[in-house]
Amino acid sequence: MQQPLVISVPEEIIDEAPPSKSLWQYISAYWTMLCEMYYNKPISHWILLFLSSMGMLVPFPASSLLSRLYFANGGKSKWIISWVSVAGWPMIAIVLIPSYFFLKVFPTPLDLKLTLSYVVLGFLSAADNLMYAYAYAYLPASTAALLASTSLVFSALFGYVLVKNTMNLSIINSIVIITAAMTIIALDSSSDRYGYITDHQYIIGFVWDILGSALHGLIFALSELIFVKLLGKRSFLVVLEQQLMVSLFAFIFTTIGLVMSNGFHGMKSEASTFKGGENAYYSVIIWGIITFQLGVLGATAVVFLSSTVLAGVLNAVRVPITSIAAVILLHDPMSGFKILSLIITFWGFGSYIFGSYSPAKKEAPRTIS
């Protein structure tokens, strides 16, 4: 399953170097900060944040495993698995539309520029889904998840170029570390594949996974840019609106591709030959649709209820969760080099999160509407 497109809201960062502190002073400061955060929020906030975090840590890995399960058990269409990634867009609408009535607010007006931006992002998202579909068709789920983590590298690079986000030594260090981890996987390709996958197919899956991650990083930066230039208002509903519109246009473009490739008719023939039968086939499709959209909603809520830093932490945690689950449930090959790559990738995520967080960061107030 493709990397989720979760809209992040840019935050102002003051680049003042904090005075040097001892380790104990850092621990004490963070503990004080955590206590203040806890007591400043009602218990309902923490319950929602916990549920949203579980929405990232459970559905997203599940959707990745279901994508790999689809191909492993006889599924062949990349268009079908791409369509599964966006077919759940009405779930966002189910959350968004009642919110207008409960909060007594109106949707954000759509002008030509904003509509065109959603169309472009939707097209890019549809292309991104297709690239990741090729990755899961030819790579083990654990490998595909690790390679997809390079989207963090491209998000940082494109964010720096397009949105003028902060780029410090910790973030540059994370880029180098994650790139090194992906190089290790590339050098260990001989022991990291299923027996029925050829060298050519493995290379195709590897390349499309990296290109999909690059495109995802571009989409992420463009989404941020659109928020800054065209939307501006910092609210949960506006973020959901953008997520809904991008998913809708991605669904339209993917459906066109699926129809042109005769994919809907192909579902019937695939279901008849699918390992486990038709019920297993449609279960994989339906649960793939549900789990991915639940993950998107959970990630969007985490960004709003907490911060993009926590979303980054959870995104880092779900990489080893996906990899370990793939080894246990799908019997993915797991060599020593892949374990080393996993550890290095986690280190790279930590460096990125450290570089993104600053005690001097000022955060604009968050609103629901």
Side-chain angles (χ1 to χ4, degrees):
M1 196 68 66
Q2 96 282 17
Q3 285 283 94
L5 172 59
V6 179
I7 310 303
S8 75
V9 181
E11 300 169 338
E12 295 178 0
I13 298 178
I14 300 176
D15 294 319
E16 296 177 356
S20 59
K21 297 179 180 179
S22 67
L23 178 60
W24 175 251
Q25 287 175 317
Y26 269 114
I27 295 174
S28 178
Y30 276 110
W31 177 253
T32 302
M33 180 189 69
L34 290 174
C35 290
E36 290 177 352
M37 288 173 58
Y38 177 77
Y39 289 113
N40 286 338
K41 301 288 186 181
I43 189 65
S44 59
H45 171 88
W46 299 110
I47 293 174
L48 287 174
L49 183 57
F50 173 78
L51 294 176
S52 301
S53 299
M54 290 301 100
M56 285 190 69
L57 295 179
V58 178
F60 274 149
S63 67
S64 297
L65 297 180
L66 287 168
S67 294
R68 182 57 222 162
L69 189 65
Y70 164 82
F71 289 111
N73 287 2
K76 294 181 175 59
S77 174
K78 284 78 176 178
W79 278 108
I80 289 177
I81 212 65
S82 300
W83 184 81
V84 165
S85 301
V86 290
W89 67 269
M91 293 176 64
I92 304 175
I94 291 173
V95 175
L96 180 62
I97 293 175
S99 301
Y100 293 134
F101 295 98
F102 286 123
L103 299 173
K104 298 180 181 180
V105 297
F106 294 96
T108 303
L110 283 174
D111 56 24
L112 181 60
K113 285 185 178 180
L114 190 57
T115 302
L116 288 177
S117 71
Y118 288 153
V119 172
V120 171
L121 283 180
F123 176 79
L124 294 178
S125 184
D128 194 40
N129 296 343
L130 190 59
M131 292 179 185
Y132 280 121
Y134 273 91
Y136 279 96
Y138 300 134
L139 299 177
S142 54
T143 303
L146 276 169
L147 292 176
S149 67
T150 57
S151 64
L152 183 68
V153 172
F154 295 108
S155 294
L157 293 174
F158 285 122
Y160 176 75
V161 173
L162 298 177
V163 197
K164 309 303 179 186
N165 286 342
T166 300
M167 179 75 75
N168 53 37
L169 288 178
S170 291
I171 293 177
I172 294 174
N173 181 57
S174 72
I175 292 173
V176 174
I177 290 171
I178 294 175
T179 302
M182 299 310 106
T183 304
I184 292 174
I185 291 180
L187 295 175
D188 189 44
S189 61
S190 60
S191 61
D192 183 43
R193 71 182 69 187
Y194 295 113
Y196 56 87
I197 298 296
T198 65
D199 290 346
H200 179 69
Q201 289 174 326
Y202 185 90
I203 292 172
I204 289 175
F206 194 100
V207 171
W208 281 122
D209 205 345
I210 296 296
L211 290 177
S213 299
L215 182 56
H216 185 81
L218 176 61
I219 293 171
F220 195 88
L222 289 175
S223 300
E224 232 182 315
L225 187 64
I226 290 168
F227 195 95
V228 171
K229 299 293 184 182
L230 301 179
L231 293 172
K233 185 179 179 182
R234 185 184 179 83
S235 81
F236 183 60
L237 292 187
V238 171
V239 173
L240 271 183
E241 286 173 344
Q242 188 174 4
Q243 194 76 56
L244 173 64
M245 295 303 295
V246 172
S247 298
L248 172 60
F249 283 113
F251 172 78
I252 292 172
F253 285 119
T254 305
T255 301
I256 292 172
L258 189 61
V259 170
M260 293 180 64
S261 66
N262 203 25
F264 285 112
H265 181 268
M267 282 186 180
K268 295 182 180 179
S269 60
E270 281 190 352
S272 62
T273 59
F274 195 75
K275 185 178 179 180
E278 292 188 3
N279 289 338
Y281 179 83
Y282 289 113
S283 293
V284 168
I285 297 295
I286 292 171
W287 280 109
I289 292 171
I290 294 173
T291 53
F292 188 80
Q293 288 304 319
L294 285 177
V296 169
L297 289 171
T300 303
V302 166
V303 170
F304 173 74
L305 293 169
S306 181
S307 67
T308 53
V309 175
L310 178 59
V313 172
L314 296 175
N315 198 52
V317 171
R318 75 181 180 89
V319 172
I321 289 176
T322 304
S323 299
I324 293 171
V327 172
I328 296 173
L329 300 176
L330 303 181
H331 308 292
D332 268 16
M334 179 62 77
S335 65
F337 283 109
K338 186 186 284 188
I339 295 174
L340 176 62
S341 178
L342 180 62
I343 294 171
I344 293 175
T345 300
F346 206 67
W347 176 19
F349 271 114
S351 180
Y352 179 86
I353 292 165
F354 179 82
S356 299
Y357 176 78
S358 170
K361 184 183 290 184
K362 289 185 178 180
E363 187 173 340
R366 300 170 188 259
T367 60
I368 298 293
S369 60

